[in-house]
Amino acid sequence: QVQLVESGGGLVQPGGSVRLSCAASGVFYELDSMGWYRQTPGKQRDLVASITSGGSTNYADSVTDRFTISRDNAKNTVYLQMNSLKTEDTAVYYCNGILFGVHYWGQGTQVTVSS
């Protein structure tokens, strides 16, 4: 059974930084893609950033130049470095992994940006 476990969420002040981590277990192949989505009440769960096993990245326009995604293929772990945080970045962040076209999701971790 594939499981994704997130860590690193919490409370941070505007302009601050946090680093999210997500480790996949029960996976016997490299995940084709890993990424992060976020969701706030009343809104759709939207892609923040993703990265393929080959290292190609994709970012939402709102986070480009502030967030950086990376992964360790051997560990099937993905990271999201979040800098220059804004209050509008407040959301539940979900780890996502894709293997053979199947999406797997973590339970989410809350990131709150507030003074």
Side-chain angles (χ1 to χ4, degrees):
Q1 182 177 346
V2 176
Q3 289 185 291
L4 303 177
V5 180
E6 302 113 327
S7 62
L11 177 65
V12 62
Q13 294 183 345
S17 298
V18 297
R19 183 174 183 257
L20 304 182
S21 299
C22 172
S25 63
V27 182
F28 302 99
Y29 300 91
E30 289 184 352
L31 291 164
D32 300 307
S33 180
M34 299 188 75
W36 295 90
Y37 289 68
R38 67 186 180 187
Q39 186 173 26
T40 55
K43 292 188 176 182
Q44 182 181 351
R45 185 179 298 185
D46 293 325
L47 176 70
V48 178
S50 65
I51 183 168
T52 69
S53 61
S56 297
T57 59
N58 185 37
Y59 294 93
D61 289 341
S62 60
V63 306
T64 298
D65 299 325
R66 297 191 298 121
F67 294 4
T68 302
I69 191 169
S70 60
R71 66 182 286 173
D72 184 332
N73 289 333
K75 297 179 179 179
N76 269 327
T77 299
V78 64
Y79 308 92
L80 185 66
Q81 180 66 46
M82 307 167 65
N83 299 325
S84 302
L85 284 163
K86 306 173 181 179
T87 56
E88 50 262 48
D89 294 317
T90 297
V92 177
Y93 285 72
Y94 295 90
C95 182
N96 169 261
I98 304 173
L99 182 62
F100 301 116
V102 178
H103 287 248
Y104 300 91
W105 297 94
Q107 292 298 307
T109 184
Q110 177 72 44
V111 175
T112 301
V113 184
S114 177
S115 60

